[in-house]
Amino acid sequence: MKRIITIAILMFSFVSFAQIKVIETVPVERLGKVNNNYIQKIGDEYTVYYTSIQNDDDSSSLRKFTFKNVNNDYNSLYNIIVNGFTANPLYDIKLELPNNYIWLHYTGSVLPEKATVQFMVSNKDASSAASNVSEPLLKDQINKLFQK
């Protein structure tokens, strides 16, 4: 009888203190990609990964900024970027995200289809005043990046 109770207690302790739990995951979607730049979607959160053209101390030149798709912000960001290509004169646009400031820096050309935009991203955290600059992207590359 003692053995049965001991075995039952041991079985109960294994069941109640299991080390492995199944956690529900959200699928990760990789949207458009241009060179090493791409957009990743996890649930309602979008992360834009871009190649920084600045040579920093660390070896990775891939940087990112993240935002949630509240009030259709993904499409709003796309429209802001694309509309900036047709502005006359071209001007920089400053955006505020939850953790970052982003300047969209446009560079003109004689040919409108050769105008480019760069992401200039800085962290809102006061301890890191440095900003990162993406490689220049053409309007067609922005369309591909945002899958439009």
Side-chain angles (χ1 to χ4, degrees):
M1 184 70 167
K2 286 183 178 181
R3 283 188 157 183
I4 293 175
I5 293 173
T6 305
I7 291 173
I9 290 173
L10 284 175
M11 293 301 284
F12 178 72
S13 68
F14 285 126
V15 172
S16 64
F17 296 109
Q19 294 180 27
I20 299 175
K21 293 181 190 178
V22 176
I23 298 174
E24 187 175 333
T25 58
V26 179
V28 176
E29 295 178 56
R30 184 176 274 191
L31 304 178
K33 182 175 182 189
V34 174
N35 301 329
N36 290 331
N37 308 301
Y38 63 94
I39 298 177
Q40 178 176 291
K41 178 184 176 200
I42 302 175
D44 67 342
E45 187 172 87
Y46 288 86
T47 303
V48 178
Y49 292 89
Y50 62 94
T51 304
S52 177
I53 60 172
Q54 296 173 324
N55 293 332
D56 291 344
D57 291 338
D58 65 22
S59 60
S60 174
S61 64
L62 197 62
R63 303 284 188 253
K64 67 180 179 176
F65 60 89
T66 302
F67 61 95
K68 289 190 180 268
N69 193 28
V70 180
N71 297 326
N72 204 16
D73 287 337
Y74 177 74
N75 287 322
S76 296
L77 176 61
Y78 168 76
N79 290 329
I80 290 168
I81 294 170
V82 169
N83 291 337
F85 282 107
T86 58
N88 191 11
L90 292 177
Y91 60 94
D92 290 356
I93 300 171
K94 184 177 180 180
L95 305 172
E96 181 179 5
L97 296 177
N99 297 320
N100 302 92
Y101 291 111
I102 300 174
W103 287 267
L104 302 175
H105 176 69
Y106 292 91
T107 305
S109 174
V110 176
L111 301 171
E113 61 273 2
K114 296 296 181 186
T116 62
V117 65
Q118 290 178 288
F119 302 126
M120 300 170 71
V121 181
S122 66
N123 195 324
K124 281 185 177 179
D125 184 11
S127 65
S128 64
S131 64
N132 295 300
V133 180
S134 74
E135 64 182 311
L137 298 169
L138 298 166
K139 185 176 180 181
D140 290 342
Q141 291 175 313
I142 293 293
N143 290 336
K144 186 176 177 183
L145 187 64
F146 281 83
Q147 289 189 325
K148 303 286 183 179

